[in-house]
Amino acid sequence: MKKALVITLFASSVLCANAPYQKVASRLMDSLLTAGIDQTLRQEYENATRTFQVVARGFSDHPAGFLYQAAILQAKAMDYELPIERDPFDSLLAIARERSSAMIDIDPNSPWGYFYRGTTLGYDSYARAQRGDWFGAASKGMSSASDFHRAVAADSSFFDAYAGIGTYYYWKTRKIEFLTWLPFVDDKMEEGIRLLTICIGSGEYNKYAAMSSLLSIFLDDEDYEGAAHLAEEALRAYPSNRLFLWGLATARERLADTSGALNAYQRLLASMVSDPRENSYNELVCRLNMIKLRSSGNMMWDWMGEMEALFAFKSRTFPRHLQDRAEAKFEEAELIRKRLTE
């Protein structure tokens, strides 16, 4: 799968007024956060940013408004295959971490400060991994998991924190699974999946974050049926979400379900074409994947028209970090065109 879903926590804490361990300053804040999270999942990033800016201004002592603005920067970077805007991202995380640490100082027995700080550290870990700072990413990841553990220790029914712990357990084990035969190295992969599944079923706020992480895990674990089922469940609520559409298309393709994969890619392409922001590289990849699927089967299709649409992207300007990858896609498409012509 082309998307890195490992630490995607853009839906990490939709706050509800009826939550038993609520730490929302007011119903206004609750409604704003809920609206902003929904806008993010609908990929209405500008609207979501404005919503969270209102939260940050109105509740300046709370970490949520700052944290979710950083989350949108990460979500946009993943969606459009771009680097995270480092300066605003780091600044927002620094404020969110300071505010969440202050919550802990005020009430060390509340899970919320640990939860917000753990989420902040999780975002920081992901960004450092993207930059190639693997030591920093590992350090922040461990600190993030530690804070999520503290949130659960403060309230064992805080199921939303299970998403962060479960994600950490799986990927930590995955990276060192060649050592799990040693007596002091635990295999936590199944436990990670179990915790994510609990969060999806019982979490109040973190359902889609857990679904995103578990989708990535299922694809990594080659459980393509599980991945397809999970993506379809998420898409029932957010049918145009490109994160889950990529997952569904990838799972269906790996299952050799050509019809299902093409349907998912068509939905994905429609979502990108209707987006006012250009998404050239991902659209190129989507079109190429559809061509490969159609060319491998015995079906009637306008391959010349689809090739023409794909090679029209030659006139687009790709960001420097994507230029070589785009050129490789064009070369792959040219080989397919020659084969179809012959």
Side-chain angles (χ1 to χ4, degrees), residues 1 3 43 54 75 80 91 97 102 105 107 119 161 165-166 218-219 225 246 260 263 268 285 303 308 314:
M1 183 182 179
K3 293 294 178 186
Q43 296 156 154
V54 171
Y80 297 107
S91 296
R97 184 171 180 179
D105 291 339
D107 186 359
T119 304
I165 300 171
F218 281 158
L219 290 171
E225 287 285 1
W246 278 115
N263 178 267
L268 179 59
V285 173
W303 68 266
E308 183 179 347
K314 278 275 192 179

PDB file of all heavy atoms in Angstrom, residues 1 3 43 54 75 80 91 97 102 105 107 119 161 165-166 218-219 225 246 260 263 268 285 303 308 314:
ATOM      1  N   MET A   1       0.843  -1.194   0.000  1.00  0.00           N
ATOM      2  CA  MET A   1       0.000   0.000   0.000  1.00  0.00           C
ATOM      3  C   MET A   1       0.876   1.240   0.000  1.00  0.00           C
ATOM      4  O   MET A   1       1.854   1.322   0.708  1.00  0.00           O
ATOM      5  CB  MET A   1      -0.888  -0.012   1.235  1.00  0.00           C
ATOM      6  CG  MET A   1      -1.863   1.136   1.339  1.00  0.00           C
ATOM      7  SD  MET A   1      -2.791   0.988   2.872  1.00  0.00           S
ATOM      8  CE  MET A   1      -3.790   2.460   2.720  1.00  0.00           C
ATOM      9  N   LYS A   3       0.316   4.247   1.043  1.00  0.00           N
ATOM     10  CA  LYS A   3       0.193   5.196   2.139  1.00  0.00           C
ATOM     11  C   LYS A   3       0.737   4.611   3.427  1.00  0.00           C
ATOM     12  O   LYS A   3       0.513   3.449   3.742  1.00  0.00           O
ATOM     13  CB  LYS A   3      -1.272   5.571   2.351  1.00  0.00           C
ATOM     14  CG  LYS A   3      -1.853   6.367   1.193  1.00  0.00           C
ATOM     15  CD  LYS A   3      -1.206   7.711   1.088  1.00  0.00           C
ATOM     16  CE  LYS A   3      -1.722   8.495  -0.086  1.00  0.00           C
ATOM     17  NZ  LYS A   3      -1.031   9.729  -0.295  1.00  0.00           N
ATOM     18  N   GLN A  43     -11.864  15.299   4.591  1.00  0.00           N
ATOM     19  CA  GLN A  43     -10.764  15.921   3.859  1.00  0.00           C
ATOM     20  C   GLN A  43     -11.064  17.370   3.498  1.00  0.00           C
ATOM     21  O   GLN A  43     -10.570  17.896   2.507  1.00  0.00           O
ATOM     22  CB  GLN A  43     -10.406  15.085   2.624  1.00  0.00           C
ATOM     23  CG  GLN A  43      -9.885  13.720   3.014  1.00  0.00           C
ATOM     24  CD  GLN A  43     -10.047  12.647   1.957  1.00  0.00           C
ATOM     25  OE1 GLN A  43      -9.281  11.693   1.929  1.00  0.00           O
ATOM     26  NE2 GLN A  43     -11.015  12.773   1.090  1.00  0.00           N
ATOM     27  N   VAL A  54     -10.337  28.228  16.020  1.00  0.00           N
ATOM     28  CA  VAL A  54     -11.329  28.794  16.939  1.00  0.00           C
ATOM     29  C   VAL A  54     -11.181  28.156  18.318  1.00  0.00           C
ATOM     30  O   VAL A  54     -11.232  28.839  19.347  1.00  0.00           O
ATOM     31  CB  VAL A  54     -12.759  28.589  16.397  1.00  0.00           C
ATOM     32  CG1 VAL A  54     -13.801  28.978  17.454  1.00  0.00           C
ATOM     33  CG2 VAL A  54     -12.977  29.412  15.135  1.00  0.00           C
ATOM     34  N   ALA A  75      -2.109  15.035   8.120  1.00  0.00           N
ATOM     35  CA  ALA A  75      -3.076  14.380   7.243  1.00  0.00           C
ATOM     36  C   ALA A  75      -2.944  14.888   5.814  1.00  0.00           C
ATOM     37  O   ALA A  75      -2.984  14.106   4.853  1.00  0.00           O
ATOM     38  CB  ALA A  75      -4.493  14.616   7.763  1.00  0.00           C
ATOM     39  N   TYR A  80      -1.538  14.162   0.115  1.00  0.00           N
ATOM     40  CA  TYR A  80      -1.001  14.715  -1.124  1.00  0.00           C
ATOM     41  C   TYR A  80       0.446  14.306  -1.389  1.00  0.00           C
ATOM     42  O   TYR A  80       1.077  14.837  -2.297  1.00  0.00           O
ATOM     43  CB  TYR A  80      -1.120  16.241  -1.096  1.00  0.00           C
ATOM     44  CG  TYR A  80      -2.552  16.717  -1.032  1.00  0.00           C
ATOM     45  CD1 TYR A  80      -3.070  17.266   0.141  1.00  0.00           C
ATOM     46  CD2 TYR A  80      -3.405  16.589  -2.120  1.00  0.00           C
ATOM     47  CE1 TYR A  80      -4.391  17.691   0.215  1.00  0.00           C
ATOM     48  CE2 TYR A  80      -4.726  17.012  -2.055  1.00  0.00           C
ATOM     49  CZ  TYR A  80      -5.209  17.560  -0.884  1.00  0.00           C
ATOM     50  OH  TYR A  80      -6.517  17.970  -0.819  1.00  0.00           O
ATOM     51  N   SER A  91       5.969  23.775  15.931  1.00  0.00           N
ATOM     52  CA  SER A  91       5.524  24.811  16.867  1.00  0.00           C
ATOM     53  C   SER A  91       4.203  24.419  17.523  1.00  0.00           C
ATOM     54  O   SER A  91       4.032  24.588  18.750  1.00  0.00           O
ATOM     55  CB  SER A  91       5.372  26.148  16.139  1.00  0.00           C
ATOM     56  OG  SER A  91       6.622  26.606  15.656  1.00  0.00           O
ATOM     57  N   ARG A  97       2.191  20.012  23.681  1.00  0.00           N
ATOM     58  CA  ARG A  97       2.888  19.245  24.713  1.00  0.00           C
ATOM     59  C   ARG A  97       2.962  20.040  26.017  1.00  0.00           C
ATOM     60  O   ARG A  97       2.769  19.488  27.110  1.00  0.00           O
ATOM     61  CB  ARG A  97       4.289  18.883  24.238  1.00  0.00           C
ATOM     62  CG  ARG A  97       5.037  18.006  25.225  1.00  0.00           C
ATOM     63  CD  ARG A  97       6.331  17.488  24.650  1.00  0.00           C
ATOM     64  NE  ARG A  97       7.038  16.648  25.605  1.00  0.00           N
ATOM     65  CZ  ARG A  97       8.195  16.034  25.355  1.00  0.00           C
ATOM     66  NH1 ARG A  97       8.765  16.163  24.174  1.00  0.00           N
ATOM     67  NH2 ARG A  97       8.777  15.280  26.270  1.00  0.00           N
ATOM     68  N   ALA A 102       0.877  20.559  31.475  1.00  0.00           N
ATOM     69  CA  ALA A 102       0.250  21.387  32.513  1.00  0.00           C
ATOM     70  C   ALA A 102      -1.002  20.712  33.055  1.00  0.00           C
ATOM     71  O   ALA A 102      -1.287  20.783  34.262  1.00  0.00           O
ATOM     72  CB  ALA A 102      -0.092  22.770  31.944  1.00  0.00           C
ATOM     73  N   ASP A 105       0.148  18.234  35.555  1.00  0.00           N
ATOM     74  CA  ASP A 105       0.579  18.886  36.799  1.00  0.00           C
ATOM     75  C   ASP A 105      -0.626  19.260  37.671  1.00  0.00           C
ATOM     76  O   ASP A 105      -0.588  19.116  38.895  1.00  0.00           O
ATOM     77  CB  ASP A 105       1.388  20.148  36.487  1.00  0.00           C
ATOM     78  CG  ASP A 105       2.735  19.818  35.867  1.00  0.00           C
ATOM     79  OD1 ASP A 105       3.204  18.674  36.032  1.00  0.00           O
ATOM     80  OD2 ASP A 105       3.308  20.708  35.201  1.00  0.00           O
ATOM     81  N   ASP A 107      -3.713  17.819  37.544  1.00  0.00           N
ATOM     82  CA  ASP A 107      -4.438  16.630  38.009  1.00  0.00           C
ATOM     83  C   ASP A 107      -3.722  15.369  37.520  1.00  0.00           C
ATOM     84  O   ASP A 107      -4.052  14.825  36.464  1.00  0.00           O
ATOM     85  CB  ASP A 107      -5.880  16.661  37.492  1.00  0.00           C
ATOM     86  CG  ASP A 107      -6.721  15.524  38.077  1.00  0.00           C
ATOM     87  OD1 ASP A 107      -6.178  14.720  38.860  1.00  0.00           O
ATOM     88  OD2 ASP A 107      -7.924  15.453  37.750  1.00  0.00           O
ATOM     89  N   THR A 119      -0.456  11.478  22.475  1.00  0.00           N
ATOM     90  CA  THR A 119      -0.809  11.704  21.076  1.00  0.00           C
ATOM     91  C   THR A 119       0.162  12.690  20.440  1.00  0.00           C
ATOM     92  O   THR A 119       0.603  12.506  19.295  1.00  0.00           O
ATOM     93  CB  THR A 119      -2.248  12.235  20.971  1.00  0.00           C
ATOM     94  OG1 THR A 119      -3.140  11.317  21.613  1.00  0.00           O
ATOM     95  CG2 THR A 119      -2.663  12.391  19.519  1.00  0.00           C
ATOM     96  N   ALA A 161      -7.093   5.232  24.487  1.00  0.00           N
ATOM     97  CA  ALA A 161      -5.639   5.135  24.601  1.00  0.00           C
ATOM     98  C   ALA A 161      -5.125   3.792  24.079  1.00  0.00           C
ATOM     99  O   ALA A 161      -3.930   3.661  23.775  1.00  0.00           O
ATOM    100  CB  ALA A 161      -5.208   5.333  26.051  1.00  0.00           C
ATOM    101  N   ILE A 165      -1.350   2.400  22.182  1.00  0.00           N
ATOM    102  CA  ILE A 165      -0.588   1.262  22.714  1.00  0.00           C
ATOM    103  C   ILE A 165      -0.550   0.129  21.701  1.00  0.00           C
ATOM    104  O   ILE A 165       0.501  -0.473  21.456  1.00  0.00           O
ATOM    105  CB  ILE A 165      -1.205   0.775  24.040  1.00  0.00           C
ATOM    106  CG1 ILE A 165      -1.192   1.900  25.089  1.00  0.00           C
ATOM    107  CG2 ILE A 165      -0.446  -0.442  24.565  1.00  0.00           C
ATOM    108  CD1 ILE A 165      -1.981   1.571  26.350  1.00  0.00           C
ATOM    109  N   GLY A 166      -1.701  -0.186  21.109  1.00  0.00           N
ATOM    110  CA  GLY A 166      -1.768  -1.286  20.150  1.00  0.00           C
ATOM    111  C   GLY A 166      -0.900  -1.044  18.928  1.00  0.00           C
ATOM    112  O   GLY A 166      -0.204  -1.954  18.446  1.00  0.00           O
ATOM    113  N   PHE A 218      -3.149  -4.994   8.942  1.00  0.00           N
ATOM    114  CA  PHE A 218      -3.694  -6.110   8.165  1.00  0.00           C
ATOM    115  C   PHE A 218      -2.986  -6.243   6.814  1.00  0.00           C
ATOM    116  O   PHE A 218      -2.688  -7.356   6.358  1.00  0.00           O
ATOM    117  CB  PHE A 218      -5.191  -5.921   7.947  1.00  0.00           C
ATOM    118  CG  PHE A 218      -6.049  -6.305   9.137  1.00  0.00           C
ATOM    119  CD1 PHE A 218      -7.327  -5.785   9.279  1.00  0.00           C
ATOM    120  CD2 PHE A 218      -5.593  -7.194  10.097  1.00  0.00           C
ATOM    121  CE1 PHE A 218      -8.129  -6.140  10.358  1.00  0.00           C
ATOM    122  CE2 PHE A 218      -6.371  -7.554  11.183  1.00  0.00           C
ATOM    123  CZ  PHE A 218      -7.648  -7.025  11.312  1.00  0.00           C
ATOM    124  N   LEU A 219      -2.723  -5.120   6.157  1.00  0.00           N
ATOM    125  CA  LEU A 219      -2.023  -5.176   4.877  1.00  0.00           C
ATOM    126  C   LEU A 219      -0.596  -5.678   5.067  1.00  0.00           C
ATOM    127  O   LEU A 219      -0.106  -6.494   4.277  1.00  0.00           O
ATOM    128  CB  LEU A 219      -2.018  -3.794   4.224  1.00  0.00           C
ATOM    129  CG  LEU A 219      -3.373  -3.305   3.714  1.00  0.00           C
ATOM    130  CD1 LEU A 219      -3.289  -1.841   3.294  1.00  0.00           C
ATOM    131  CD2 LEU A 219      -3.867  -4.160   2.555  1.00  0.00           C
ATOM    132  N   GLU A 225      -8.340  -9.999   3.420  1.00  0.00           N
ATOM    133  CA  GLU A 225      -9.787 -10.037   3.679  1.00  0.00           C
ATOM    134  C   GLU A 225     -10.125  -9.114   4.846  1.00  0.00           C
ATOM    135  O   GLU A 225     -11.099  -8.356   4.793  1.00  0.00           O
ATOM    136  CB  GLU A 225     -10.227 -11.470   3.990  1.00  0.00           C
ATOM    137  CG  GLU A 225     -10.249 -12.410   2.791  1.00  0.00           C
ATOM    138  CD  GLU A 225     -11.439 -12.162   1.869  1.00  0.00           C
ATOM    139  OE1 GLU A 225     -12.244 -11.242   2.153  1.00  0.00           O
ATOM    140  OE2 GLU A 225     -11.549 -12.883   0.864  1.00  0.00           O
ATOM    141  N   TRP A 246      -7.512   3.944  -0.608  1.00  0.00           N
ATOM    142  CA  TRP A 246      -6.236   3.313  -0.976  1.00  0.00           C
ATOM    143  C   TRP A 246      -6.131   1.925  -0.343  1.00  0.00           C
ATOM    144  O   TRP A 246      -5.708   0.960  -0.986  1.00  0.00           O
ATOM    145  CB  TRP A 246      -5.051   4.160  -0.499  1.00  0.00           C
ATOM    146  CG  TRP A 246      -4.658   5.310  -1.381  1.00  0.00           C
ATOM    147  CD1 TRP A 246      -4.728   6.634  -1.078  1.00  0.00           C
ATOM    148  CD2 TRP A 246      -4.110   5.235  -2.702  1.00  0.00           C
ATOM    149  NE1 TRP A 246      -4.273   7.393  -2.126  1.00  0.00           N
ATOM    150  CE2 TRP A 246      -3.876   6.562  -3.137  1.00  0.00           C
ATOM    151  CE3 TRP A 246      -3.794   4.189  -3.556  1.00  0.00           C
ATOM    152  CZ2 TRP A 246      -3.337   6.862  -4.386  1.00  0.00           C
ATOM    153  CZ3 TRP A 246      -3.270   4.486  -4.806  1.00  0.00           C
ATOM    154  CH2 TRP A 246      -3.046   5.800  -5.217  1.00  0.00           C
ATOM    155  N   GLY A 260     -13.389  -5.640  -7.906  1.00  0.00           N
ATOM    156  CA  GLY A 260     -13.446  -4.881  -6.658  1.00  0.00           C
ATOM    157  C   GLY A 260     -12.347  -3.840  -6.578  1.00  0.00           C
ATOM    158  O   GLY A 260     -12.569  -2.709  -6.116  1.00  0.00           O
ATOM    159  N   ASN A 263     -13.151  -0.942  -8.942  1.00  0.00           N
ATOM    160  CA  ASN A 263     -14.207  -0.108  -8.367  1.00  0.00           C
ATOM    161  C   ASN A 263     -13.636   0.842  -7.313  1.00  0.00           C
ATOM    162  O   ASN A 263     -13.979   2.036  -7.275  1.00  0.00           O
ATOM    163  CB  ASN A 263     -15.299  -0.986  -7.759  1.00  0.00           C
ATOM    164  CG  ASN A 263     -16.398  -0.175  -7.105  1.00  0.00           C
ATOM    165  OD1 ASN A 263     -16.375   0.094  -5.911  1.00  0.00           O
ATOM    166  ND2 ASN A 263     -17.384   0.224  -7.895  1.00  0.00           N
ATOM    167  N   LEU A 268     -11.573   6.259  -5.834  1.00  0.00           N
ATOM    168  CA  LEU A 268     -10.420   7.043  -5.414  1.00  0.00           C
ATOM    169  C   LEU A 268     -10.106   8.130  -6.435  1.00  0.00           C
ATOM    170  O   LEU A 268      -9.869   9.292  -6.076  1.00  0.00           O
ATOM    171  CB  LEU A 268      -9.218   6.115  -5.227  1.00  0.00           C
ATOM    172  CG  LEU A 268      -7.891   6.735  -4.802  1.00  0.00           C
ATOM    173  CD1 LEU A 268      -8.025   7.467  -3.477  1.00  0.00           C
ATOM    174  CD2 LEU A 268      -6.823   5.639  -4.703  1.00  0.00           C
ATOM    175  N   VAL A 285      -0.499   7.548 -10.090  1.00  0.00           N
ATOM    176  CA  VAL A 285      -0.381   6.187  -9.564  1.00  0.00           C
ATOM    177  C   VAL A 285      -1.718   5.455  -9.688  1.00  0.00           C
ATOM    178  O   VAL A 285      -1.764   4.281 -10.092  1.00  0.00           O
ATOM    179  CB  VAL A 285       0.082   6.206  -8.098  1.00  0.00           C
ATOM    180  CG1 VAL A 285       0.030   4.808  -7.491  1.00  0.00           C
ATOM    181  CG2 VAL A 285       1.493   6.773  -7.990  1.00  0.00           C
ATOM    182  N   TRP A 303      -7.996   1.317 -23.991  1.00  0.00           N
ATOM    183  CA  TRP A 303      -6.657   1.469 -23.440  1.00  0.00           C
ATOM    184  C   TRP A 303      -5.933   2.675 -24.027  1.00  0.00           C
ATOM    185  O   TRP A 303      -5.143   3.324 -23.348  1.00  0.00           O
ATOM    186  CB  TRP A 303      -5.840   0.196 -23.634  1.00  0.00           C
ATOM    187  CG  TRP A 303      -5.476  -0.161 -25.041  1.00  0.00           C
ATOM    188  CD1 TRP A 303      -6.149  -0.997 -25.872  1.00  0.00           C
ATOM    189  CD2 TRP A 303      -4.327   0.283 -25.759  1.00  0.00           C
ATOM    190  NE1 TRP A 303      -5.499  -1.099 -27.078  1.00  0.00           N
ATOM    191  CE2 TRP A 303      -4.369  -0.319 -27.034  1.00  0.00           C
ATOM    192  CE3 TRP A 303      -3.257   1.130 -25.461  1.00  0.00           C
ATOM    193  CZ2 TRP A 303      -3.390  -0.099 -28.020  1.00  0.00           C
ATOM    194  CZ3 TRP A 303      -2.286   1.352 -26.426  1.00  0.00           C
ATOM    195  CH2 TRP A 303      -2.359   0.746 -27.686  1.00  0.00           C
ATOM    196  N   GLU A 308      -3.613   7.868 -23.009  1.00  0.00           N
ATOM    197  CA  GLU A 308      -3.518   9.289 -23.345  1.00  0.00           C
ATOM    198  C   GLU A 308      -3.758  10.152 -22.103  1.00  0.00           C
ATOM    199  O   GLU A 308      -3.053  11.142 -21.879  1.00  0.00           O
ATOM    200  CB  GLU A 308      -4.528   9.635 -24.437  1.00  0.00           C
ATOM    201  CG  GLU A 308      -4.451  11.069 -24.910  1.00  0.00           C
ATOM    202  CD  GLU A 308      -5.446  11.375 -26.015  1.00  0.00           C
ATOM    203  OE1 GLU A 308      -6.022  10.417 -26.578  1.00  0.00           O
ATOM    204  OE2 GLU A 308      -5.655  12.565 -26.309  1.00  0.00           O
ATOM    205  N   LYS A 314       2.505  14.155 -18.113  1.00  0.00           N
ATOM    206  CA  LYS A 314       3.882  14.531 -18.424  1.00  0.00           C
ATOM    207  C   LYS A 314       4.059  16.044 -18.383  1.00  0.00           C
ATOM    208  O   LYS A 314       5.162  16.543 -18.123  1.00  0.00           O
ATOM    209  CB  LYS A 314       4.253  14.012 -19.821  1.00  0.00           C
ATOM    210  CG  LYS A 314       4.673  12.562 -19.888  1.00  0.00           C
ATOM    211  CD  LYS A 314       6.159  12.420 -19.572  1.00  0.00           C
ATOM    212  CE  LYS A 314       6.690  11.051 -19.905  1.00  0.00           C
ATOM    213  NZ  LYS A 314       8.145  10.935 -19.614  1.00  0.00           N
TER     214      LYS A 314
END
